[in-house]
Amino acid sequence: MDLKKVAFSPDDASNVVKECIEGIVGGVDYSQNKVNQWTASIVEHTLTQLVKQGKPFKYIVNCAVMQKSGAGLHTANSCYWDTTTDGSCTVRWENRTMYCVVSVFAVAIAL
Amino acid sequence: MYDLAKKKAAHLLKKRGSLSSLSSHEVKAKETFAKTKDSISTVSYMEELGHHDDIPRPAVQMENTYQLSPTRRFPVLTVTSYLQEEKYEPELCRQMTKTISEVVKARVKDLMIPRYKIIVIISIGQIRDQNMRMGSRCLWDETCDNFSSHTFKNSSLFSTATVYGVYFE
C-alpha cells in the first residue's frame, strides 16, 4: 500500500479542463437556450476525466459562462486546507461571444 | 477593512498550521468588435497569504461523520453588508471579491466543526443586459460534505457566494 501523500498537480488538471471546454463550446456562439446544458456538460465531463486519473482526491468543479457584452466580472476564492496535498486550478477561456471560467478544487483523502 | 480581515485570517491560520491560498480572476470590460481568432485560454495566478508551518500534522485515525450544518447565515450577512450601497467599479470590486472571500472563510472557520476543509468562492459582476450561468459539480462523500450558496443583486452589480465544506478523515 502506498502511504505517501500525492500532491495535486494543477498542470494536469488545467489540460483536462481546457480539452473539455474546447470539446463542448469550442467553435460555437453564445446561445441562451443551450448555456444550461453547456455548463452541466462541462462540469460533468471535467469531473469524469479527473476521476479517471484515479488519484485519491475529492473534487469540486465550478463553471461560469457569461455572454460578452462589455460587462466586467470578478471572481475570487479562498480555501482553508492542507496546502501540501490539496490544490486548485482555474482556467479562463473565451471566444468571440462568451467567457467561460472553470475552477477545479481537489481535496486529498487519506487512504 | 481588508487589512483587518487579513490579520485576523493570518492569526487564525497560525493556530491551525495551514496555508491560505487566495486567487482571483478578472474579465475586463471590453468594447465589442469582431475578432477573427477563435478562442484563448489562460491559467490563473495565485497569491499566498499567511505563513508556512513546517511541522506536519500526523494522520488521525478516528472517524467522525457529522453532517455539515447549513452555512447559509454567513454568506448572506457578509455579502449583503459589504455590497449594499456599492456601484460596480473594476478596481473596487477586484479588491472586494478578495476581501469578502477571506472574511467569509474566517467566519465559517470560527463556528464550524473542526476537521472540515473550507472552500469559499465569490463572484461579483456588472449588470449590463448580459446573461450568465454558473454551475458546479462535486465528487465527495454525501454523508459528511455539503455546501451553501447565496446571490445578491443591486441596481448595478450582482454577486454570488458559495461555501463548500469537505470533511477530513
Side-chain angles (χ1 to χ4, degrees), chain A residues 2-52:
Chain A
D2 186 5
L3 295 173
K4 267 192 248 165
K5 283 186 180 172
V6 184
F8 176 68
S9 155
D11 298 322
D12 281 349
S14 76
N15 289 332
V16 169
V17 171
K18 283 181 197 168
E19 282 168 17
C20 286
I21 301 179
E22 282 289 330
I24 295 170
V25 289
V28 294
D29 285 346
Y30 182 86
S31 149
Q32 192 172 341
N33 307 332
K34 300 204 186 137
V35 67
N36 213 343
Q37 107 203 29
W38 287 337
T39 44
S41 2
I42 291 174
V43 284
E44 277 167 23
H45 211 233
T46 311
L47 201 51
T48 29
Q49 294 300 317
L50 287 169
V51 167
K52 271 190 197 168

Side-chain angles (χ1 to χ4, degrees), chain B residues 50-89:
Chain B
H51 78 280
H52 297 262
D53 190 354
D54 289 330
I55 306 166
R57 245 192 296 175
V60 184
Q61 300 289 331
M62 294 184 344
E63 188 183 318
N64 278 338
T65 53
Y66 295 136
Q67 180 90 24
L68 176 69
S69 53
T71 54
R72 237 164 271 130
R73 280 166 59 202
F74 304 104
V76 175
L77 289 177
T78 310
V79 174
T80 314
S81 67
Y82 274 86
L83 293 175
Q84 200 79 49
E85 304 294 326
E86 304 297 337
K87 270 206 127 76
Y88 179 84
E89 274 159 45

Side-chain angles (χ1 to χ4, degrees), chain A residues 59 63 65 74 76 80 86 92, chain B residues 26 42 118 122 124 135 139:
Chain A
Y59 293 103
C63 167
V65 174
H74 295 264
Y80 174 63
D86 307 326
R92 195 183 73 176
Chain B
E26 179 190 321
T42 52
I118 313 281
I122 309 286
I124 301 185
L139 178 73

Side-chain angles (χ1 to χ4, degrees), chain A residues 22 30 32 44 51 58-59 61-63 65 67 70 72-78 80 86 92 94-95, chain B residues 16 25-27 29 38-42 102 105 117-118 120 122 124 126 131 133 135-137 139 145:
Chain A
E22 282 289 330
Y30 182 86
Q32 192 172 341
E44 277 167 23
V51 167
K58 290 183 180 175
Y59 293 103
V61 180
N62 196 47
C63 167
V65 174
Q67 187 180 15
L73 173 71
H74 295 264
T75 69
N77 61 67
S78 173
Y80 174 63
D86 307 326
R92 195 183 73 176
E94 63 181 281
N95 71 7
Chain B
R16 319 261 168 116
H25 324 280
E26 179 190 321
V27 165
D38 266 347
S39 59
I40 19 178
S41 62
T42 52
E102 280 292 305
K105 187 192 67 173
K117 296 180 176 177
I118 313 281
V120 177
I122 309 286
I124 301 185
Q126 187 184 14
N131 219 320
R133 186 115 210 143
S136 106
R137 284 284 186 283
L139 178 73
D145 303 326

Side-chain angles (χ1 to χ4, degrees), chain A residues 60-62 75-79 103 105, chain B residues 101 119-123 134 136 160-164:
Chain A
I60 294 168
V61 180
N62 196 47
T75 69
N77 61 67
S78 173
C79 309
S103 306
F105 300 89
Chain B
S101 68
I119 295 170
V120 177
I121 303 181
I122 309 286
S123 299
M134 282 184 78
S136 106
T160 61
T162 312
V163 178
Y164 299 91

